[in-house]
Amino acid sequence: EYMGTSHRSHMAASLAGSKPFKLLVHSLAQLVCVCNRGQQYLLGPIDDLAIVENGAVAVGADGRIAAVGTTDEVLAHCGGSHDAFDTVVDGAGKSLVPGLCDGHTHPVWAGDRVHEFALKLKGATYMDIHKAGGGIGFTVSHTKAASEDELLSGFVKRLDRMLRFGTTLVEAKSGYGLEKETELKMLRVITRADAAHPIDIVSTFCGAHSVPKGSTVTEATRNVIEDQLPAVLAARDAGEIKVDNIDVFCDKGIFEAEDTERILRAGQSAGLAINFHGDELNYVGAAELGGRLCALAISHLEEISDEGIAAMAVRPTFAVLLPTTAYVLRIKPPPARRLLESSVPVALGSDFNPNAHCLSMPHVMNLACVTMRLSMPEALAAATINAAGSMGRARDHGSIEVGKLGNFVLVDSPRWEHLVYEIADPPIAGVFVRGARAL
């Protein structure tokens, strides 16, 4: 089925004096559009995705998708000749999926916590390590001591690795400062990386990631609302940083529901979307709170209640599930099937951080299928259109549709499922960002 063309790229190319199109990928065994009717998310259960056999996609000079359909259809709409394209890729025997979207990461930090992995293998829990001064507290001290340029260098190296695994959009949190200056430093690093790296970055302020040592929850809440958040908003309004979301680690013994609500409402009133951690280690009513606040997304949800699921289905609020967390911490995974069957849009994230050191969304999809019982179509939707939706970016990312950014992963197999099926070493033959080969 032919899915359309756009003439905007013809105009851009004419003005630039270059070829009308930047990229053609043709003769694909499977062109996996994921969806093709402008959906901002897909609800489960998901059995089928929008797929074109012998498919092709054209990207205009503006880096946006200009035509999608069969190879003959796309060529016919683009002048019938390969000469109209800067780059032509023969996709015979291969498949193409949208650029992958990682809905939850903590990628800006310093320090090495490999020793904590050894402790976990001996039976230590997340909270055992946290109370002993490890975990987030350990990373906070090292991140405070690192320079902005040191943090940027480490972050860019991680982004490069993400790109090799097909990620083209990522949510990135602060949260290893827990005080104004280091939180601002982290947000500046995220902003600088977003301007320089091929991966698009959605920035989240997470000053309420933990209660600083020597502080009470009440004091930490007041500090976030009265000191950190005003400074973040002032830097945003001055154009020094970009920040899209506000986040709180809502769990027992950290920030519970009442303090979480105060922080989230303060950020929401300043124009930040609510995208927060909830009901991970204990049930605290985070999902019900998120539903009440019309949150964009809630992550983790291992301990979510049936009432919380119902509350999330109203807006709906995206459930960003993180299979690496349950895997590393040896805790039960979130109830993905109940969420899918209750009309909650399910997204995936790597939860990349010093506790869950995973940069590969193909591996995350595999884990989601095995440990959470997602189907492969559900996992791909969760790592593309739904993850993009959880970041408020589904208009530009998450599916192969006319007008969206030309971000793709070329899979070296005629069946796209090999991207999920092949553990640890996915058969990625190329990654494209805005129609240009990035890998």
Side-chain angles (χ1 to χ4, degrees):
E1 179 187 0
Y2 179 64
M3 299 181 187
T5 60
S6 168
H7 296 291
R8 289 178 297 173
S9 28
H10 294 270
M11 296 168 58
S14 176
L15 290 171
S18 61
K19 290 185 177 182
F21 300 97
K22 184 181 287 189
L23 173 69
L24 171 68
V25 185
H26 67 87
S27 304
L28 289 156
Q30 290 183 319
L31 172 62
V32 185
C33 301
V34 175
C35 50
N36 58 12
R37 299 192 304 275
Q39 300 100 310
Q40 299 296 291
Y41 53 84
L42 295 179
L43 297 176
I46 301 169
D47 298 317
D48 299 303
L49 302 173
I51 296 177
V52 182
E53 295 182 355
N54 187 28
V57 58
V59 179
D62 59 357
R64 293 187 176 270
I65 298 170
V68 179
T70 68
T71 295
D72 289 344
E73 289 166 341
V74 170
L75 274 174
H77 278 267
C78 296
S81 169
H82 289 179
D83 293 339
F85 300 89
D86 288 328
T87 302
V88 176
V89 176
D90 186 348
K94 297 180 175 62
S95 47
L96 195 75
V97 304
L100 302 178
C101 306
D102 188 341
H104 181 121
T105 75
H106 301 263
V108 180
W109 45 269
D112 187 346
R113 279 164 53 188
V114 69
H115 62 285
E116 291 182 8
F117 185 52
L119 294 174
K120 293 188 193 87
L121 296 178
K122 292 179 180 178
T125 68
Y126 180 90
M127 291 307 293
D128 290 338
I129 293 169
H130 178 77
K131 290 174 182 176
I136 291 172
F138 179 92
T139 302
V140 165
S141 63
H142 285 77
T143 303
K144 284 182 179 180
S147 72
E148 187 172 318
D149 285 343
E150 287 171 337
L151 291 174
L152 179 64
S153 175
F155 182 26
V156 168
K157 289 176 183 176
R158 293 163 191 154
L159 287 170
D160 288 344
R161 292 173 66 187
M162 290 179 182
L163 187 65
R164 290 202 293 273
F165 285 110
T167 295
T168 58
L169 174 69
V170 64
E171 184 266 1
K173 303 177 189 296
S174 68
Y176 292 124
L178 310 183
E179 44 77 20
K180 178 173 63 180
E181 294 305 327
T182 306
E183 290 294 317
L184 286 170
K185 177 171 66 175
M186 294 181 70
L187 290 169
R188 287 194 299 271
V189 167
I190 292 169
T191 301
R192 289 172 64 187
D194 182 53
H197 200 275
I199 292 178
D200 283 337
I201 304 172
V202 173
S203 176
T204 299
F205 166 55
C206 189
H209 195 195
S210 184
V211 177
K213 187 176 181 180
S215 179
T216 66
V217 174
T218 299
E219 291 167 343
T221 300
R222 185 164 54 245
N223 178 263
V224 171
I225 294 172
E226 297 179 5
D227 190 32
Q228 294 185 47
L229 182 58
V232 167
L233 297 175
R236 177 197 67 179
D237 294 344
E240 297 168 6
I241 62 170
K242 59 166 281 187
V243 58
D244 304 290
N245 307 313
I246 187 159
D247 190 356
V248 178
F249 193 161
C250 180
D251 216 308
K252 184 177 179 180
I254 308 175
F255 293 91
E256 298 196 28
E258 183 178 345
D259 295 304
T260 296
E261 181 169 358
R262 289 181 58 207
I263 296 168
L264 293 178
R265 285 192 182 276
Q268 188 178 51
S269 68
L272 300 179
I274 294 175
N275 185 337
F276 72 111
H277 297 61
D279 291 335
E280 176 189 354
L281 303 173
N282 303 275
Y283 168 72
V284 291
E288 291 91 330
L289 172 63
R292 199 163 63 245
L293 296 180
C294 295
L296 175 61
I298 308 173
S299 293
H300 286 293
L301 301 170
E302 284 83 354
E303 300 292 341
I304 191 172
S305 67
D306 289 341
E307 292 77 12
I309 292 174
M312 291 183 68
V314 175
R315 183 188 191 264
T317 293
F318 288 87
V320 183
L321 306 185
L322 311 171
T324 59
T325 307
Y327 172 75
V328 168
L329 296 181
R330 295 171 170 173
I331 60 176
K332 71 177 184 181
R337 293 248 54 91
R338 282 166 50 208
L339 288 158
L340 284 162
E341 291 161 5
S342 301
S343 298
V344 176
V346 168
L348 287 173
S350 68
D351 196 18
F352 171 74
N353 71 82
N355 174 61
H357 207 293
C358 176
L359 295 153
S360 168
M361 285 304 291
H363 185 54
V364 168
M365 288 190 284
N366 181 282
L367 283 175
C369 291
V370 174
T371 67
M372 298 182 186
R373 300 180 183 272
L374 268 64
S375 68
M376 286 189 284
E378 287 167 342
L380 185 63
T384 54
I385 190 64
N386 285 4
S390 77
M391 295 180 257
R393 295 293 188 274
R395 291 191 177 185
D396 285 332
H397 296 267
S399 62
I400 300 178
E401 297 182 84
V402 168
K404 290 196 173 186
L405 294 173
N407 296 352
F408 317 120
V409 179
L410 187 63
V411 181
D412 193 12
S413 172
R415 293 282 300 271
W416 71 266
E417 293 95 337
H418 278 263
L419 185 65
V420 180
Y421 167 62
E422 298 192 23
I423 301 172
D425 185 23
I428 293 175
V431 179
F432 299 85
V433 176
R434 289 175 166 80
R437 185 181 280 274
L439 179 70

